[in-house]
């Protein structure tokens, strides 16, 4: 692959997925796109670039972008964001949303579903506290392939061993051969939608809690700012955003500020707050 072809691919991927690749990632591009060439009967990476330069949008173009996205995930990943949900976010949401009895949660990089399903299991465990509530969990991802897997709720033995407490495995999964299927009680709590964070997402509506973890690290600074500002606009005034351990809003946006008590948790500022005729009860 020539330098010119690599430069084209870097810009192509940045525009379509936000992925910011440094010069040292050339090997990664070659290793991930070579199988795409084989799948579509394209002889070389140079020929692939030639096809992409035609600026068409179809299965090949989607496959190229999806091949370069990282889908690393597991149940209750990093633990702390889920401890925060159980100990801080959910109790405050129950108190603040008691009049409406409605709660909306967005997993903005849902991948194969472990994050939103982890949240769904925690909500189900809350039991009577949320009886009669309308709870919506929306999982989105750029990759349609991983979303198909997420909808199935079918995981390998290796996948259910990563982070999933054994009591939840026994309670919510059924073993089918060498795989484990998540019970419909939990899969029915989550809806999955394809979404590119670079594109508008206001149509999803407002959310009380947003998990957008370990995706901004792949974006350049202007893209991070744009995404964070738009997340703030779909957040309820007293809502909360959780980012990954290596991510922050500091130096990127004035629409969100760190929670002084909880690392990785962010809330709206007046700058990011949409105009409303009334304020919901403060909770976060």
């Amino acid at each position: 692959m020539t330098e010119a072809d690599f430069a084209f691919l870097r810009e192509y991927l940045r525009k379509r997925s936000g992925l910011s690749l440094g010069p040292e990632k050339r090997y990664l591009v070659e290793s991930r796109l070579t199988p795409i060439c084989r799948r579509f009967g394209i002889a070389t990476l140079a020929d692939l670039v030639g096809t992409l330069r035609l600026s068409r949008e179809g299965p090949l173009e989607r496959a190229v972008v999806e091949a370069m996205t990282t889908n690393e995930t597991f149940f209750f990943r990093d633990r702390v964001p889920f401890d925060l949900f159980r100990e801080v976010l959910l109790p405050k949401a129950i108190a603040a949303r008691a009049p409406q009895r409605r709660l909306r949660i967005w997993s903005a990089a849902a991948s194969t579903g472990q994050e939103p399903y982890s949240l769904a299991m925690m909500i189900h465990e809350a039991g009577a506290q949320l009886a009669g509530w309308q709870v919506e969990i929306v999982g989105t991802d750029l990759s349609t392939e991983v979303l198909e897997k997420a909808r199935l709720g079918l995981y390998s033995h290796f996948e259910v061993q990563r982070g999933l407490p054994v009591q939840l495995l026994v309670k919510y999964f059924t073993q089918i051969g060498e795989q484990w299927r998540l019970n419909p009680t939990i899969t029915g709590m989550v809806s999955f939608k394809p979404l590119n964070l670079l594109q508008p997402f206001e149509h999803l509506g407002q959310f009380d809690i947003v998990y957008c973890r370990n995706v901004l690290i792949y974006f350049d600074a202007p893209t991070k700012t744009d995404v964070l500002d738009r997340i703030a606009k779909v957040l309820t005034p007293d809502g909360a955003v959780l980012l990954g351990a290596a991510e922050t809003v500091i130096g990127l946006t004035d629409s969100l500020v760190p929670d002084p008590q909880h690392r990785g948790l962010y809330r709206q500022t007046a700058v990011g707050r949409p105009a409303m005729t009334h304020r919901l009860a403060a909770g976060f």
Side-chain angles (χ1 to χ4, degrees):
M1 182 168 55
T2 66
E3 288 297 332
D5 286 346
F6 181 50
F8 169 83
L9 287 170
R10 289 174 64 187
E11 183 62 12
Y12 183 91
L13 292 164
R14 186 191 66 80
K15 286 183 177 179
R16 284 161 177 77
S17 69
L19 184 63
S20 180
L21 294 171
E24 75 284 358
K25 297 297 184 180
R26 180 170 174 167
Y27 77 94
L28 184 65
V29 172
E30 292 176 338
S31 66
R32 292 193 179 182
L33 295 189
T34 296
I36 299 298
C37 290
R38 289 197 294 267
R39 188 198 309 176
F40 286 87
I42 298 173
T44 66
L45 286 171
D47 293 333
L48 174 64
V49 169
T51 303
L52 296 177
R53 287 183 186 277
L54 298 176
S55 298
R56 297 178 301 181
E57 292 297 332
L60 173 63
E61 289 71 24
R62 289 192 295 273
V64 166
V65 173
E66 291 188 11
M68 292 306 304
T69 57
T70 300
N71 295 305
E72 169 69 8
T73 187
F74 50 91
F75 290 102
F76 298 96
R77 183 180 181 183
D78 302 329
R79 181 56 66 176
V80 172
F82 299 97
D83 290 342
L84 278 175
F85 182 78
R86 182 183 63 253
E87 298 168 6
V88 179
L89 299 182
L90 189 56
K92 288 188 175 181
I94 290 173
R97 300 295 183 271
Q100 299 88 3
R101 298 170 72 83
R102 185 169 186 259
L103 180 64
R104 301 194 76 230
I105 302 168
W106 179 20
S107 172
S111 187
T112 47
Q114 285 93 322
E115 179 177 271
Y117 285 145
S118 295
L119 295 170
M121 284 184 276
M122 296 179 76
I123 288 170
H124 194 271
E125 289 291 296
Q129 295 181 77
L130 291 169
W133 282 57
Q134 181 183 356
V135 179
E136 293 181 73
I137 305 174
V138 178
T140 65
D141 201 276
L142 171 69
S143 171
T144 55
E145 182 177 345
V146 298
L147 290 179
E148 284 304 312
K149 177 176 171 62
R151 291 187 184 99
L152 288 175
L154 191 64
Y155 298 97
S156 68
H157 190 65
F158 173 74
E159 288 171 318
V160 297
Q161 280 187 321
R162 300 186 71 195
L164 182 67
V166 66
Q167 65 269 26
L168 296 184
L169 175 64
V170 172
K171 185 173 183 178
Y172 293 116
F173 289 77
T174 302
Q175 188 169 11
I176 302 175
E178 296 184 356
Q179 294 186 302
W180 294 80
R181 183 179 296 279
L182 190 55
N183 295 346
T185 301
I186 302 301
T187 57
M189 295 175 64
V190 184
S191 62
F192 291 98
K193 306 175 188 294
L195 180 75
N196 186 335
L197 288 174
L198 271 60
Q199 298 172 351
F201 45 71
E202 290 81 2
H203 61 280
L204 295 177
Q206 282 203 310
F207 293 93
D208 304 296
I209 300 170
V210 176
Y211 277 68
C212 185
R213 303 170 56 231
N214 306 309
V215 60
L216 296 180
I217 54 175
Y218 300 108
F219 296 167
D220 59 24
T223 305
K224 291 177 183 178
T225 297
D226 175 62
V227 172
L228 288 168
D229 284 344
R230 289 187 291 118
I231 286 176
K233 290 179 180 179
V234 300
L235 191 67
T236 53
D238 59 341
V241 177
L242 291 99
L243 302 181
E247 298 166 329
T248 183
V249 305
I250 297 173
L252 294 170
T253 180
D254 294 324
S255 299
L256 297 165
V257 294
D259 185 290
Q261 295 180 306
H262 305 289
R263 183 177 179 182
L265 182 62
Y266 301 86
R267 56 183 174 81
Q268 255 196 25
T269 62
V271 174
R273 191 168 297 148
M276 298 185 70
T277 56
H278 65 280
R279 289 288 307 279
L280 298 177
F284 304 110

